Amino acid sequence: MKATEARLIEFLKKSPQFVIPIYQRTYSWGERECRQLWEDIMRTGRNDDVSAHFVGSIVYVEKGLYSVSSQSPLLVIDGQQRLTTITLLMEALARSLGNGEPLEGFSAKKLRNYYLLNPLEDGERKYKLLLSQTDKDSLIALLEQRTKPKDHSLRIEANFDFFRKRISETKSEVVALCKGLAKLVIVDISLNRDQDNPQLIFESLNSTGRELSQADLIRNFILMGLEPQLQSRLYEEHWRPMEVDFGQEAYNTHFDSFMRHYLTVKTGDIPNVRQVYEAFKQYARSDKVKSIEALVADIHTFAGYYCAMALGAEKDTGLKTAFQDLRELKVDVAYPFLLELYHDYVSEILVRDELHQVVRLIESYVFRRAVCGIPTNSLNKTFATFTKALKKDRYLESVQAYFILLPSYRRFPNNEEFKRELVIRDLYNFRSRSYWLRRLENFGRKERVSVDEYTIEHILPQNENLSAKWRADLGSEWERIQKTYLHTLGNLTLTGYNSEYSDRPFTQKRDMPGGFSESPLRLNQGLGTLTGWNENTINQRAKRLAQQAAKVWAAPELAPEILEAYKSSPTPGNYTIEDHPYLTSNTLSTVFQAFRKEVLALDPCVVEEFLKLYVAYKAETNFVDVVPQAKRLRLSLNMAFHEI
């Protein structure tokens, strides 16, 4: 390795060509990074006392050479983002200069022939910077001032427009811009292919700019060390199609998550979100992986499943709708389980209708728990261990049994609990309120209603200063009724006439053109026949809608004799309070009974388990253990001090 300090424009001028290898991520800088670079350049250019501004390193491989004097292209290991952004800025500046030269060396002709193009070369060697895939065609079209490609790079287009706009707004400071560019300094790091390990160097780099994603590191780990022919084939056949399927923006935002879910499926462990790359390297080097080629092909296959479920690429209309509904609940922890389900569906182990039912059960499970206010911290464990309980010859039945038999803190809320909580929950400020309204409205409909065309309506208005008519309809306790029921299920509906309804009395909302009497929405059925709106009618409507909701978000059901077969057989060593004589003695019995009553009352998810030497109280894990002793109860608290 050889590292030297260099002026960026001098480095660009003497370097023949920079090539971005296919294993590098696509150009990913956004407006934030471009704005920071622009501000740094302008601040440096305006200040004559500042002689240089450091913008990071350019790391490249040149076959067996340290010098950039040869005509062989430089394979860029790190620095793509800065090189591409400076290229966009220089092209925008060249277009703005016309025939002028505000600072020596900064005419349009010199910018292009020194820093952007190799004017004496043909074909791809004509360009100083060759990006990969979509980025390459987009940048070449920009430099040639041709029409952008059909599938052009959104980032290249947006950032070029950003610099053109900045230059146009600061025409009077073009000299400062040129001076700032001239002062940019980099560390020129040349690697010897025979002596240096580009992969290790790549991993250890800590450059300015946007941090590499876990997926970037994984792609480079897979492709960087391969022979060029295999590298190109794997990229073209597998990795590039994945990037296209995800789309430019979704690849940047979703691929890391997908890789985490993929590893969870393959290893049974959930990697830390910041350590997906390390987990992947460990998996890739394990006996489970037969070859890099097989691994990349498998990732490609599972990426297709993920795109179908998480990005709306599913072709089957019913499944597509079910996946969309699940996405609105934002339950990413379910994707490892869903990936395995979808794999079994594609492999014809799980039939389409049963997959659809399982997806709906997952949706019901998550929504019911949210309505019942059950903490979500157990969902990770629930879905991560789900596949161990599957009996794939009785797929749907085993999923239903698993849900029904979940312990209290991970339970599937039954109909009574769900309906009870649903009618009193603040659903107006509930997450994804358009989701539950749409599901209630469209359940069983073949022609779905687009909820986006409607707004949520409080039948009893939100206005604290209710009109005399409303107060009269509600009675002497109107304040309590408004406070209690305002945002609840019974008082909420959909309408296209929200502004017209305003705070009008109920009978006017009912009878006006487009009012409740004429509404085509199922949510408004029955409102047109009511003579008034009060506590009783709110409760009646809430109970009716709750009955419907229990069908929309259905609970699993199995015959008792079938469910019994899924229950764990009693194991030797099950203990009861009788196995702890200190707890039944006169001395400690009263204290223990008072203690257990209060602990079990903390939350419905708390369970009690008698073990050989102590009594455990669990939520997701033990949070307090009681060790009975002759004259006292010794408590072991498994929680942070500030939580006690």
Side-chain angles (χ1 to χ4, degrees), residues 538-553:
I538 292 173
N539 278 320
Q540 287 181 349
R541 179 171 180 267
K543 290 177 181 178
R544 177 173 61 81
L545 291 177
Q547 290 286 354
Q548 177 74 356
K551 299 175 183 176
V552 177
W553 294 279

Side-chain angles (χ1 to χ4, degrees), residues 211-470:
E211 182 181 4
L212 287 166
S213 69
Q214 300 290 293
D216 292 331
L217 293 166
I218 289 169
R219 182 187 56 234
N220 287 17
F221 173 80
I222 290 174
L223 298 176
M224 186 179 283
L226 301 178
E227 290 299 318
Q229 187 175 358
L230 178 58
Q231 184 184 97
S232 297
R233 182 164 64 81
L234 291 183
Y235 184 77
E236 294 295 337
E237 291 180 2
H238 297 295
W239 210 277
R240 177 60 182 163
M242 283 192 288
E243 292 176 342
V244 171
D245 289 344
F246 273 78
Q248 291 183 45
E249 295 304 311
Y251 181 81
N252 292 326
T253 56
H254 283 271
F255 205 85
D256 275 12
S257 296
F258 158 67
M259 287 305 306
R260 187 179 185 220
H261 302 320
Y262 173 81
L263 288 170
T264 302
V265 173
K266 295 299 177 178
T267 67
D269 296 320
I270 305 171
N272 182 288
V273 70
R274 302 291 298 174
Q275 296 176 339
V276 174
Y277 176 50
E278 294 301 321
F280 176 81
K281 287 197 295 184
Q282 185 175 351
Y283 172 66
R285 292 165 176 161
S286 71
D287 295 337
K288 296 179 181 179
V289 176
K290 297 179 181 178
S291 68
I292 286 295
E293 191 165 357
L295 174 59
V296 176
D298 194 52
I299 293 172
H300 186 186
T301 297
F302 275 80
Y305 305 158
Y306 184 82
C307 288
M309 297 184 293
L311 300 180
E314 175 59 48
K315 303 300 182 185
D316 182 282
T317 303
L319 290 176
K320 184 183 181 77
T321 300
F323 290 140
Q324 177 191 340
D325 292 336
L326 198 58
R327 286 198 302 276
E328 288 198 47
L329 287 175
K330 296 179 174 60
V331 196
D332 287 355
V333 294
Y335 277 116
F337 178 51
L338 288 166
L339 284 171
E340 179 150 351
L341 290 174
Y342 203 95
H343 179 66
D344 288 343
Y345 163 60
V346 172
S347 304
E348 299 184 349
I349 298 171
L350 175 61
V351 298
R352 182 267 179 202
D353 288 344
E354 289 196 350
L355 172 61
H356 185 266
Q357 290 183 65
V358 173
V359 173
R360 287 301 186 192
L361 278 175
I362 294 171
E363 178 195 5
S364 295
Y365 176 63
V366 173
F367 183 70
R368 283 187 175 221
R369 285 172 61 88
V371 167
C372 295
I374 303 172
T376 60
N377 55 2
S378 66
L379 291 180
N380 255 331
K381 183 177 181 180
T382 298
F383 288 112
T385 58
F386 213 139
T387 55
K388 297 176 182 178
L390 291 176
K391 298 183 184 299
K392 295 192 176 183
D393 58 335
R394 292 169 281 166
Y395 219 121
L396 177 61
E397 180 185 280
S398 65
V399 171
Q400 292 171 317
Y402 180 84
F403 273 132
I404 293 171
L405 295 174
L406 284 170
S408 63
Y409 63 94
R410 292 162 59 195
R411 69 188 179 280
F412 198 122
N414 61 32
N415 285 339
E416 292 309 310
E417 181 183 10
F418 177 55
K419 289 187 289 186
R420 181 179 69 247
E421 294 297 324
L422 189 66
V423 299
I424 63 174
R425 174 74 56 188
D426 180 341
L427 293 178
Y428 181 69
N429 295 303
F430 189 79
R431 62 178 183 177
S432 304
R433 65 181 177 224
S434 62
Y435 155 78
W436 67 262
L437 284 162
R438 175 175 54 75
R439 289 285 282 125
L440 267 180
E441 179 61 37
N442 285 309
F443 181 69
R445 277 185 182 269
K446 290 187 177 180
E447 296 182 358
R448 293 165 62 85
V449 173
S450 177
V451 172
D452 294 339
E453 297 176 5
Y454 297 88
T455 57
I456 194 164
E457 164 72 9
H458 290 79
I459 303 174
L460 166 60
Q462 297 187 74
N463 191 343
E464 294 180 359
N465 299 313
L466 284 179
S467 66
K469 173 61 175 169
W470 267 113

Side-chain angles (χ1 to χ4, degrees), residues 2 15 51 122 192 195 581 587:
K2 183 179 180 181
S15 302
S51 60
D122 297 317
N192 186 307
Q195 299 176 14
T587 307

Side-chain angles (χ1 to χ4, degrees), residues 6 9 17 27 39 76 110 129 147 200 246 271 398 401 415 420 426 442 454 527 550 577:
I9 60 172
Q17 188 178 55
Y27 179 55
E39 291 173 354
V76 178
K110 291 177 180 177
L129 177 61
T147 303
L200 293 179
F246 273 78
S398 65
N415 285 339
R420 181 179 69 247
D426 180 341
N442 285 309
Y454 297 88
L527 293 178
I577 193 171

